[in-house]
Amino acid sequence: MQSPSVLPSRDTSVVPPALDSSPDVRKLPIRLLMRFTDPLFEQRFLRFYEGFYRRYAQASLVLGMILIVGDWLVDHLAFPEVSANGYRMVLSIPILAVGLALSFSRAGKRHWQTLMAAIIVLVGISLYWTLHRIGLQGGSGLGSWVGILNFTFFELYCFVILGIGFRYALPTGLLLFVGFEVSILTVLAGEMEHGSYLTYHVFTVFLLAAMIGWWREYLLRKEFLAVAELEVATQVALSQAEYLSEHDAVTGLRNLTGFIALLERETRAADAQHRTLPLLLIDLERLRRIRDAFGQKAADHLTRSLVDRLHASAGPFQPTPEFARTSSFEVAVLFRHVQDTATVIEASERLLESLRQPFHLEGQDFYLLPTGGLGLYPNDGDSGEATLKAARVALSTHAHEERSLHFYNADHDRALAQRQRLEEDLRGALAAGQLSLAYQPLVRVSDRTPSGVEALLRWTHPTLGAIGPVEFIPMMEELGLIHEIGEWVLNEACAQAVRWQQSGLVLTEMAVNVSGLQLADPGFASRVSRALAQSELPPQKLVLELTESVLVHDNDAAMAQLSALKALGLRLALDDFGTGFSSLMSIARFPFDIVKLDRSFVQAAPSTRAAAAIVEAIMALATRLGMETVAEGIETEEQLQYIAALGCHLAQGYLFARPCSAEELTVLYPAHPPQ
């Protein structure tokens, strides 16, 4: 007989509430011969198997009717003159049929084992009486081997049909045995030796059937315990997984998911009570450095320590704030039922101050230097998640300030949102044809004739219009687009220089600005060489402009890169000279051909003694080193006359022309077809 293969459902009524309250599978006591010691657990066990075994018992009743019909047919063929054989059909079949019908009723389903035991006893009585009558009429009756075989089947049938109810099967089987024994002794009263022989065989069958029934139920109970323990373990694992999905494994605080769920509940409560909901976000960026330097274990230890300190510092404020670890280096604090802004600020300052105190770990002090951003629902956000975003905006937009507690500002939020949109739009600006080059002439100071142009990158946004280079160039560097767009600028500028040359516009040089990230690329010199080769621009007509700030981080690498560029035959210009921290070192060490005076000095020099001294010193140094000089930002005749008196070679500024397109520049300086 097979046990059911279907595992119990996740209904808590099937599984014990805890493993400790159920018997141990490995130490199953003998008392389980009858039932579990826990009545509730016994009920769960019966409910788990009863559906399967009730249907099994119903099928067994049908099988019993078939076997009784078969016995009647065999006896009828062997002993047609024995009329008592018909009692099988008259008595036993109706009893089995009635039992089968009752097993489908509501009461029968509730008490199916009691019902089955009664049916078995009734069928047993009818069979004993039938066999006795058959024996009296000369057939194979109760005292023959046919009687023993009938009893053997019936005894096994008893322990099978009652399924998991061994406590029902045992007394029922014992009652059948006693009834059979009484019948044997009555029929064979004068043949005690033969009766004892039959009794021996009957008792042996009874013991065998009882042992099989007990062992089967013992195995079923062990199976159920194993399944129940597995189900409980599964539920524990699922509960832990569900817990960890909303809680931080290191601190036990809510994580971002759990905190947002809490925020939504609290915001609904705040709306119902018409109150505000302050939220503090604490940034712990220095914790990242500690993790990188000392490992994750040390960072986790500090994290638990700072959470303990936050709880201790929040003690005086009632109700106690709700803490959450919204990221590895960020803790959120939700102040519930606190309406006084001054109290919120005081509590926030106290929490931040507690974290500014040193943390001791393995004999060393660590300082976290936290900063906080404060958001207020519904003033700063129309939802809990929006308020959390507002607190994060307060942190990000004031990170450079010395104050530790910052407040949300809608203008900064809009600026951040616009910057994010610009970053996304910038990724596709080149492919969409939104980027272009403008050209600003470089003129000779002596005769104001054009000498060359500087290529300047421009971005025309489809909805926002022109975006300034100061705004989008840093974005290009942060997004890693500077290499792709920088290469496009270089190729386009070289190609345009060749087109002008072919049309007769005589320009001695094309200047292109180079980012520090481009210069740090080991393949940059190869990109420049490829651009020159593809455009067929003579290398001496290309000038690469670099600011000295790109040279101070890795002087050796910069020197190697500049030497490779010089080997191509182009010229190098040092842009915005005088504004950095290492101007003299840069001009003395690196192989520059041109020095460009920063516009701030050039514009101030005619009227400011300090600026004039700086410009004159730069001019003298450049002349001594044999370098060409370019003055930027020339806007007035006075400025032009001033730099001309100093012997400056080239000038650039609005006095001559603003940056313009290639077509506008051709109109400004008409080309002469080559002879």
Side-chain angles (χ1 to χ4, degrees), residues 341-387:
T341 304
T343 302
V344 173
I345 295 176
E346 178 188 355
S348 301
E349 292 284 7
R350 174 173 294 189
L351 293 176
L352 292 173
E353 178 61 29
S354 70
L355 298 183
R356 280 194 288 269
Q357 303 306 313
F359 289 85
H360 303 284
L361 177 62
E362 296 181 355
Q364 187 172 353
D365 289 344
F366 293 91
Y367 293 86
L368 295 181
L369 304 180
T371 55
L374 198 59
L376 191 66
Y377 174 84
N379 302 32
D380 299 333
D382 57 1
S383 66
E385 193 167 358
T387 307

Side-chain angles (χ1 to χ4, degrees), residues 540-613:
Q540 61 271 19
K541 289 185 176 294
L542 178 63
V543 176
L544 298 183
E545 295 188 4
L546 303 96
T547 59
E548 58 183 305
S549 61
V550 308
L551 307 173
V552 299
H553 298 296
D554 192 343
N555 290 336
D556 294 335
M559 176 61 78
Q561 190 74 277
L562 295 180
S563 299
L565 293 172
K566 287 288 292 181
L568 297 176
L570 51 79
R571 297 199 299 163
L572 301 175
L574 181 58
D575 198 8
D576 298 335
F577 182 74
T579 59
F581 295 102
S582 55
S583 300
L584 294 179
M585 183 273 292
S586 299
I587 197 172
R589 179 177 181 187
F590 297 105
F592 289 105
D593 305 285
I594 303 170
V595 174
K596 300 187 72 173
L597 283 73
D598 184 70
R599 67 180 63 244
S600 60
F601 296 129
V602 172
Q603 293 176 352
S607 58
T608 305
R609 180 178 300 178

Side-chain angles (χ1 to χ4, degrees), residues 506-526:
V506 180
L507 295 173
T508 59
E509 61 188 37
M510 170 65 75
V512 178
N513 290 280
V514 175
S515 164
L517 293 178
Q518 289 177 276
L519 191 67
D521 181 8
F524 179 64
S526 299

Side-chain angles (χ1 to χ4, degrees), residues 81-282:
E81 70 282 359
V82 178
S83 61
N85 184 41
Y87 292 135
R88 299 177 191 265
M89 304 293 290
V90 175
L91 297 176
S92 300
I93 293 295
I95 294 174
L96 290 173
V98 170
L100 181 63
L102 290 176
S103 69
F104 288 99
S105 66
R106 181 176 300 179
K109 290 180 180 179
R110 187 181 305 114
H111 307 290
W112 68 276
Q113 290 178 311
T114 305
L115 173 64
M116 292 300 161
I119 295 297
I120 290 173
V121 171
L122 291 175
V123 173
I125 293 173
S126 69
L127 282 179
Y128 292 160
W129 187 82
T130 299
L131 288 172
H132 175 66
R133 299 294 298 175
I134 290 174
L136 292 178
Q137 295 180 10
S140 298
L142 192 62
S144 66
W145 280 105
V146 173
I148 294 179
L149 291 176
N150 272 267
F151 174 80
T152 300
F153 163 76
F154 207 65
E155 197 67 13
L156 293 173
Y157 187 73
C158 165
F159 285 97
V160 167
I161 199 172
L162 288 174
I164 55 175
F166 181 73
R167 64 181 183 275
Y168 292 95
L170 183 62
T172 303
L174 186 60
L175 183 61
L176 291 174
F177 168 72
V178 171
F180 183 83
E181 186 64 22
V182 170
S183 301
I184 290 293
L185 294 177
T186 301
V187 173
L188 302 176
E191 302 179 24
M192 294 303 297
E193 182 177 354
H194 184 54
S196 300
Y197 178 75
L198 293 179
T199 300
Y200 165 75
H201 286 284
V202 169
F203 185 70
T204 303
V205 171
F206 168 75
L207 290 179
L208 177 62
M211 290 299 296
I212 292 175
W214 175 83
W215 183 248
R216 186 204 60 242
E217 182 158 344
Y218 184 80
L219 293 178
L220 287 177
R221 291 175 181 272
K222 287 190 66 175
E223 177 190 56
F224 177 74
L225 283 174
V227 170
E229 285 192 349
L230 178 61
E231 180 69 12
V232 170
T234 302
Q235 288 189 3
V236 170
L238 290 175
S239 299
Q240 290 178 344
E242 184 177 357
Y243 176 83
L244 291 176
S245 69
E246 294 191 352
H247 291 79
D248 175 53
V250 176
T251 62
L253 300 178
R254 285 183 173 87
N255 58 16
L256 180 59
T257 302
F259 187 62
I260 289 177
L262 173 66
L263 273 179
E264 296 307 323
R265 293 194 299 270
E266 290 293 335
T267 52
R268 287 194 295 269
D271 290 337
Q273 300 170 12
H274 304 288
R275 57 181 174 84
T276 58
L277 195 64
L279 190 156
L280 172 67
L281 202 60
I282 302 176

